[in-house]
Amino acid sequence: MSPARGSRRAKQVGIAGAAVGVVAAGLATAFAVERVLVRRSVNAPGDPYVDEPFGDQPFDRELTVTAADGTDLHVEIVEPRKPSGKPTIVFVHGFALDMGTFYFQRKALTERGDQRLVFYDQPGHGKSSRLQSGDYDIAALGKSLAAVLDATVPDGHIILVGHSMGGMTIMAFAEQYPEWFGERVTGVVLMSTSAGLIDKAKVGVPTLVARASAPFFPLWGKAARLGGSRIDRARMVSSDLSWLLTRRYGFGEPKPSPSLVTFVENMNSKTSVETLTKYLHTLYSHNRFPALSALRGVPVLVIVGTKDYLTPVTHSEEILKYLPEAELVKVENSGHVVMLEKADEVNTVLLPFLEKIS
């Protein structure tokens, strides 16, 4: 590398790092008083989930599936207590999260014990490996889902459940393999997702500290390529700020369970900034309204929180224009992680739907 090029590279990293530092410092100051309240609220009485053992859940089998983009996907399978002949339910999580997204649905369905459940971490998320080069692509995520289905459900009927980017992944899969719908895929659940019209200013919110510096997204991308680990270290320092942003933009209730906020923030923070920036372009350019036509032959349930900041109710209503036979459920006072924040309300709708189409 020439001295001039090395100097430019160092300067770029320095500018990106300085921008991130200025934004983080400014926000930390702005939220200083509230951060004190956060520390109090985490240990405040009345948290319904204070004793909930969030984290890894029991499974009967785990395996690694190599995705279309070369990443190794971590997969966990929960088997029914006895063969039932019912469809296998495959869960696909969203951006900056992992399979823990479906914690309460997995818990309820495992207790019921009459259906086979498949969970996996998307590329670059959870226990799956990161993309070694290039950017992530939702089309490739559709192929990754196909790889998981081929490996875990080689025959029999399937119900797909997707949250946020997971719903987009299902749409990409439908675009690529429309023949599966009605034949293999016999039902779809779309939670807090969109077929397009993604707001660039909002899609970065799950990156938390990155969301706060939305005007600097190009710098985040440059910094991630040149020194993402430096930003990750900065994120650890800004954990209180991340917690506040998770509560504010991920939830609908003004005072959600602190334990639940922490659980979601932990999933966010475990996803590297380098991975997050590699997803931004594909999320910005996502437009799969035509792909929804493949879903017209199967029952579809659409669930969204009325206070979802990332994928507002209008996005779900737009999906219904293409799928008029679909059922739309709006969950009051819930944000983007509706299946966690309002687990009882979601399960009250979800479980009967799964039973009906099984």
Side-chain angles (χ1 to χ4, degrees):
M1 179 185 297
S2 68
R5 182 176 298 179
S7 177
R8 285 196 300 271
R9 180 171 175 174
K11 185 176 181 180
Q12 288 171 328
V13 174
I15 292 174
V20 171
V22 168
V23 172
L27 286 167
T29 300
F31 286 114
V33 175
E34 193 169 3
R35 286 166 67 183
V36 174
L37 298 178
V38 167
R39 296 183 186 279
R40 294 176 182 172
S41 67
V42 167
N43 297 313
D47 182 350
Y49 298 119
V50 68
D51 295 320
E52 189 69 35
F54 290 117
D56 294 342
Q57 292 175 278
F59 56 84
D60 296 297
R61 180 186 171 204
E62 66 177 335
L63 67 153
T64 299
V65 174
T66 301
D69 57 15
T71 57
D72 290 330
L73 303 177
H74 176 71
V75 182
E76 295 180 3
I77 301 174
V78 178
E79 299 287 356
R81 284 192 287 270
K82 60 182 180 179
S84 64
K86 293 184 176 183
T88 296
I89 308 174
V90 179
F91 293 82
V92 193
H93 72 78
F95 183 52
L97 298 166
D98 59 39
M99 66 174 70
T101 296
F102 302 106
Y103 178 88
F104 291 113
Q105 291 67 49
R106 179 169 176 171
K107 182 177 180 180
L109 288 166
T110 299
E111 289 174 355
R112 198 168 73 174
D114 62 348
Q115 281 184 275
R116 190 165 182 263
L117 313 174
V118 175
F119 303 85
Y120 74 98
D121 289 332
Q122 295 261 39
H125 293 74
K127 296 179 181 178
S128 293
S129 66
R130 300 182 188 182
L131 187 66
Q132 296 303 309
S133 63
D135 290 339
Y136 291 98
D137 182 73
I138 288 179
L141 297 186
K143 294 179 180 178
S144 297
L145 173 55
V148 170
L149 296 181
D150 286 339
T152 62
V153 200
D155 52 54
H157 290 160
I158 301 164
I159 298 172
L160 297 175
V161 180
H163 170 253
S164 191
M165 188 178 73
M168 301 175 196
T169 300
I170 293 172
M171 295 174 205
F173 175 76
E175 183 177 59
Q176 297 156 355
Y177 307 97
E179 69 278 4
W180 278 60
F181 291 81
E183 293 294 327
R184 295 290 313 283
V185 177
T186 56
V188 173
V189 180
L190 301 173
M191 299 181 180
S192 305
T193 192
S194 174
L197 309 176
I198 301 296
D199 188 332
K200 292 185 178 182
K202 294 179 178 179
V203 75
V205 169
T207 66
L208 303 177
V209 176
R211 182 268 166 211
S213 56
F216 299 96
F217 269 140
L219 292 178
W220 273 104
K222 180 68 70 176
R225 287 192 294 273
L226 300 178
S229 61
R230 300 185 184 185
I231 303 176
D232 285 329
R233 288 195 294 271
R235 291 169 79 197
M236 296 300 292
V237 176
S238 303
S239 60
D240 285 344
L241 179 58
S242 298
W243 195 94
L244 287 170
L245 291 170
T246 299
R247 185 183 68 178
R248 180 165 298 181
Y249 295 106
F251 293 79
E253 292 286 356
K255 293 183 179 181
S257 159
S259 298
L260 204 53
V261 175
T262 298
F263 179 50
V264 175
E265 195 277 328
N266 284 342
M267 286 189 279
N268 287 151
S269 64
K270 289 176 183 177
T271 311
S272 73
V273 167
E274 182 176 5
T275 289
L276 296 175
T277 56
K278 287 183 177 182
Y279 271 101
L280 291 180
H281 176 72
T282 195
L283 291 172
Y284 290 165
S285 59
H286 170 65
N287 184 349
R288 286 180 170 78
F289 287 106
L292 294 174
S293 62
L295 278 60
R296 289 176 185 160
V298 302
V300 177
L301 172 63
V302 180
I303 301 174
V304 64
T306 59
K307 294 186 177 180
D308 189 331
Y309 176 82
L310 294 175
T311 52
V313 171
T314 53
H315 288 237
S316 292
E317 292 173 337
E318 198 68 24
I319 290 174
L320 265 289
K321 292 180 181 179
Y322 289 80
L323 298 173
E325 300 300 317
E327 179 183 357
L328 173 61
V329 175
K330 301 176 184 179
V331 181
E332 292 295 323
N333 299 318
S334 181
H336 192 59
V337 289
V338 59
M339 63 283 148
L340 286 168
E341 183 178 14
K342 300 289 184 176
D344 289 342
E345 289 91 329
V346 168
N347 286 354
T348 296
V349 175
L350 175 66
L351 270 59
F353 176 79
L354 295 175
E355 183 64 31
K356 180 177 66 175
I357 65 175
S358 294

